[in-house]
Amino acid sequence: MTQEPQQFASDNYAGICPAAWAAMDEANRGYVPAYGEDPWTQRASDSFRTLFETDCEVFFAFNGTAANSLALAALCQSYHSVICSSSAHVETDECGAPEFFSNGSKLLVAQTEGGKLTPEAVRALATGRSDIHFPKPRAVTITQPTETGQVYSLDEIRALSAICRELGLRLHMDGARFANACAALGCSPAEMTWRSGVDVLCFGGTKNGMAAGEAILFFDHALAVDFDYRCKQAGQLASKMRFLAAPWVGMLESGVWLSNAAHGNDCARRLATAIADLPGIEPMFPVEANAVFLRAPEPVLEGLRARGWRFYTFIGGGARFMFAWDADPARVDALAGDLRAAVQEAQAGVTLAA
Amino acid sequence: MTQEPQQFASDNYAGICPAAWAAMDEANRGYVPAYGEDPWTQRASDSFRTLFETDCEVFFAFNGTAANSLALAALCQSYHSVICSSSAHVETDECGAPEFFSNGSKLLVAQTEGGKLTPEAVRALATGRSDIHFPKPRAVTITQPTETGQVYSLDEIRALSAICRELGLRLHMDGARFANACAALGCSPAEMTWRSGVDVLCFGGTKNGMAAGEAILFFDHALAVDFDYRCKQAGQLASKMRFLAAPWVGMLESGVWLSNAAHGNDCARRLATAIADLPGIEPMFPVEANAVFLRAPEPVLEGLRARGWRFYTFIGGGARFMFAWDADPARVDALAGDLRAAVQEAQAGVTLAA
Amino acid sequence: MTQEPQQFASDNYAGICPAAWAAMDEANRGYVPAYGEDPWTQRASDSFRTLFETDCEVFFAFNGTAANSLALAALCQSYHSVICSSSAHVETDECGAPEFFSNGSKLLVAQTEGGKLTPEAVRALATGRSDIHFPKPRAVTITQPTETGQVYSLDEIRALSAICRELGLRLHMDGARFANACAALGCSPAEMTWRSGVDVLCFGGTKNGMAAGEAILFFDHALAVDFDYRCKQAGQLASKMRFLAAPWVGMLESGVWLSNAAHGNDCARRLATAIADLPGIEPMFPVEANAVFLRAPEPVLEGLRARGWRFYTFIGGGARFMFAWDADPARVDALAGDLRAAVQEAQAGVTLAA
Amino acid sequence: MTQEPQQFASDNYAGICPAAWAAMDEANRGYVPAYGEDPWTQRASDSFRTLFETDCEVFFAFNGTAANSLALAALCQSYHSVICSSSAHVETDECGAPEFFSNGSKLLVAQTEGGKLTPEAVRALATGRSDIHFPKPRAVTITQPTETGQVYSLDEIRALSAICRELGLRLHMDGARFANACAALGCSPAEMTWRSGVDVLCFGGTKNGMAAGEAILFFDHALAVDFDYRCKQAGQLASKMRFLAAPWVGMLESGVWLSNAAHGNDCARRLATAIADLPGIEPMFPVEANAVFLRAPEPVLEGLRARGWRFYTFIGGGARFMFAWDADPARVDALAGDLRAAVQEAQAGVTLAA
């Protein structure tokens, strides 16, 4: 695996970062109580409260699908609905988990440009029906950054939370790559969440450099009542909880959560910059976090593949490149170089053919 | 934590064993595909097939509650029921998870001595009702070893699977401490499961020395159809699956899965033997795996607590001691000694009081 | 069907009473809006408010299983539990419907004498566990009258609601035969429900003389929020609602709801009185509503069957006789006479055999 | 209610037809066993088998939402998905019932012209994703006739069932107005269903002239295994089942099921014909069953309302008129006349304004 051709196919392909690993190692000493009654869980929870500058409620789940679904189920009854973007992970990649955990809450999908929800789209979906034959809207979920790597500005979040307040909806943030959004905006976690009106945040640890694990933060205590029971019943309570909690301690206390994310973002920008002048190659979306989606002629993509690169093209046929916490800048440059070569080759081929 | 007074309170209080840790460390190199498409997951699955001497279907879940619930949900529809012992973990300690994952399957609880199901109890519950006003029995689940540390013999398992076959029921084995049962009986995993008629096994890794993770083994391929979707929807598909899978590789290939368990069992027997002559102290259950439940006068339990020991008394008021993969024999001896001292003290106290 | 041998096997075997029928007939004129926006639904709801002397929330469901399950689901989340008697219909005869509608709420079953819950039993079940590994108790359900025909006194209901208030539990009353309880106690519906601390009542119409239909009454408005959506989603919103509502109008406004029930109760007492002197025959339970359960030697039961009578023996082997709104007193007398003859015959048989 | 201005707003506004009523009346004699063990249920089931010329499995549910949801839940597990048209009742008007009953099965919605699914749309949705991150397609549901009153031809149904067979999908038909489709095509129920590859049919009784009740017909016996338990658990088993069954006997044996529907269809065509020449008024959809959707200038709609007519405009702003089993042709003519007058008035208004 010296070349690691799939390195940029997904930020889930990366391993555990040193800070998370070291904390797990340290946690792996002696006996501690199970099910979250241990000092590491307490310390991780407190680290979140410190980072978010508020006395929020903190829970840990094994993965993002569960975290999002449990959070939404806490906001909704089965006959309620959740407004999301058509490209939201909860809609496209969780195999009906939100519907399963909530016992039937429907996702109301907005077709919006670039995958961002807008107040207008929320209003349209939330007020389009008000009869009992259609699930009553109760929550809005946004992905920050979006699946295609755009970051909601603070103003955009505030506008969404304002319409949520107006319409009696709760605002959930799917932060599978929350750290990348913080790094991108340069704002504090508090600013991006509760100070902007977010009610619940799922903060992703896996893509941020951990083996597994997401944190669910409730900024409104009332929403968290009995949430520990909900996690337990849904198979999301770890017995040896310290191993879910300790990595957070390692990452939050050291600031690695943010530097890991900033590094991924930097690599994305590095690629985008390096290829900005390439004819026929254009980013499908603004490069704001750790993702680059490139629209490129098929011969160019073929040329990349021929040079060993692996990538997904599931969104609009564009090539997706994701940059993890440990993306290698030299490999980014190599990718840019190969892309340039592939473009030239394709042009030559066209010329020849002509 | 030098004394670790809670060391024997639960086998969930122990950490990660060296074999599991080393495998995670080795797995934490480079980039590999996510969601189980990596070499470690393949290798762990193959290790299970080798160990069980059959081409079973292998899936990985984060914890035992999820593994049991998903397996039972695969056997039942919501209007079916599952026969279990009144002390089964699915009934007493999973917060309604089986009912949640199955969307309502009812547990039919047998009151049996020592927590073991019997063919008679299964027959009584399975044939007591046959009208549509009561959930139709569809599966039987046994815990091997039981919550109180008894081990079903191969003959007992075969008798249970025979009645299951006769009555059209499927047999599920909750093996949260499956390795301890193997070590206790000295039989092969194959003998204890599919060769004795078990349809599905949940093999516990957490108590066996891992950070987290259980394997679900289907010996009947038909039962495993689309089970990967079920895991995904229920929030049990790890993106960085290698970290759930690699520890299994480390433990199965080395044989540590069995030696870890044998060590726990040995410590339990060591305690039981050391205190066999103590007046007024008696095991509540035969000591067959890694658990010792002691019935003791309250002053004796108080004496133990005064000496710093921590333990649960949730079953019949007896003191539970669980021995993990790394239980310290010197501490076992210390516990035995303190118990002896507490007995003498209590006797002296009684004499004084008289 | 001149003899109608199964007449007393179940009070579900009876048809529609004249008052309900006439109201349906009257309702079957012209066009009215669907889904409860019609005048009949309004009038039926108001009739309930008048009868119960309070501005309660009123909903209509098709049958008792749905009514109970929907009401309990409104009180509980999936990780909560409901305390009930071991003979409660929700536990024994609804095929797991409460678990299904609630997505997993567990029933905690009290083994109590005569099928009545007691404050002590509630306290024991509600406080026995308080850890997150077991579903949190959230509601208590009582059947009034019980499945075996006993009626909770007002004092008993008040004692139960007092412990519910103390422990933060909600009190649900399964009133499949609510009218029979009112007739038995001679108290007002208000006294038996909200004035005694009941939060939600399911008032059974089917056994009271209707074709189908139960009313769900919330005395606490907060519990009824969005309950109309819950009914709709669960397939319990009738499009031609007038036909579920009108029979209630016919029965409530006329008082037939009470006289129907009183008649059933009278017939039960009539049988009990007529056979009080029969040797070897004894009621298994006090005859307080419209049920008589008789413990009788098997030869006597055989004698009854030989004379054409049909009855169930599913509770403790005793013969159950249920008296519907239109039970024929002459047939009650005939049953008593045949029972007397069967006893004599059995005695003679014994004498002969001896 | 002499004018009955809302007469054509919905075919749910009509009452019970004489044939259904008479059968209920006849059924309301004497005592019969409950829960479908009565002669009427047997006879209704047999009537369906006769009408459909096959030994299908027959079940009865209280309403269409439940019937559709139960049928789909029998075809799917929670992690499966159901392909439907964007205008399907299961998607737009059942408040998430399919998701609730199935515990999460997702509806995959095809945007098709006129609300009819096509083989191409089915193929696109069924093959678009094949990874475990998205619910696996398992069933297709079509509404016959569609919500806007179009009827699938036999060829269209056969083409859909062919693609279903090819892709391993089951075909469900929502026949809330099934009789109207039979009347429209002039084909036999068998031809339109199992002979064309339909696996399960929900045959609507309510709109056909009953008080309540739908029949669920499985043409593949394997799909119906334990379906009686499913109905019971979901609160859809009537205790006094004869009153759900008898109306079917009355309607099927007499042929009224078909003549009722034909009458509704006739009235729709009568309206369409009468207004065909009106300028600015056009049917939004072909008038093939008992629905007419008219696109008309707002002043015209206002003119209709001013003349007392009530109608919905929830689909594309068009005015919906539905013709029930007892629609009054004189009123149809009156509506046509008022529409003509409203058009003229609007034209005059425009002229005046100009």
Side-chain angles (χ1 to χ4, degrees), chain C residues 90-116:
Chain C
V90 291
E91 166 68 12
T92 64
D93 284 286
E94 297 186 353
C95 198
E99 293 90 340
F100 173 77
F101 281 84
S102 65
N103 199 22
S105 301
K106 208 175 179 75
L107 299 182
L108 306 186
V109 173
Q111 304 293 340
T112 58
E113 277 188 48
K116 276 193 198 173

Side-chain angles (χ1 to χ4, degrees), chain B residues 118-134:
Chain B
T118 60
E120 294 70 34
V122 168
R123 184 183 298 279
L125 281 169
T127 61
R129 292 280 295 267
S130 62
D131 56 286
I132 58 172
H133 305 281
F134 201 70

Side-chain angles (χ1 to χ4, degrees), chain D residues 280-337:
Chain D
I281 308 296
E282 47 179 343
M284 297 173 69
F285 308 97
V287 176
E288 298 173 2
N290 68 325
V292 178
F293 286 74
L294 293 178
R295 186 171 287 122
E298 186 52 35
V300 173
L301 298 182
E302 269 312 304
L304 272 187
R305 290 190 193 100
R307 282 164 176 82
W309 297 99
R310 296 291 170 265
F311 46 86
Y312 291 101
T313 56
F314 57 84
I315 294 188
R320 184 184 82 156
F321 299 98
M322 302 297 295
F323 300 92
W325 61 271
D326 64 345
D328 180 353
R331 294 290 295 158
V332 177
D333 295 343
L335 170 58

Side-chain angles (χ1 to χ4, degrees), chain B residues 278-325:
Chain B
L278 282 183
I281 308 297
E282 45 177 347
M284 295 174 70
F285 307 97
V287 176
E288 297 173 3
N290 69 325
V292 179
F293 285 75
L294 293 178
R295 185 171 286 121
E298 187 51 36
V300 172
L301 298 182
E302 270 312 305
L304 271 187
R305 290 190 193 100
R307 281 163 177 84
W309 297 97
R310 295 291 169 266
F311 47 87
Y312 290 101
T313 56
F314 58 84
I315 293 188
R320 185 185 83 156
F321 299 99
M322 301 297 296
F323 299 93
W325 61 271

Side-chain angles (χ1 to χ4, degrees), chain A residues 13 16 28 31 240 242 326, chain B residues 16 28 31 206 242 326:
Chain A
Y13 288 16
I16 305 171
N28 192 24
Y31 282 65
K240 297 183 176 175
R242 56 173 144 168
D326 64 344
Chain B
I16 305 171
N28 192 24
Y31 281 66
T206 313
R242 56 172 144 168
D326 64 345

Side-chain angles (χ1 to χ4, degrees), chain C residues 133-149:
Chain C
H133 305 281
F134 200 70
K136 187 178 182 174
R138 185 84 171 144
V140 169
T141 177
I142 58 175
T143 314
Q144 173 75 326
T146 68
E147 291 300 306
T148 51

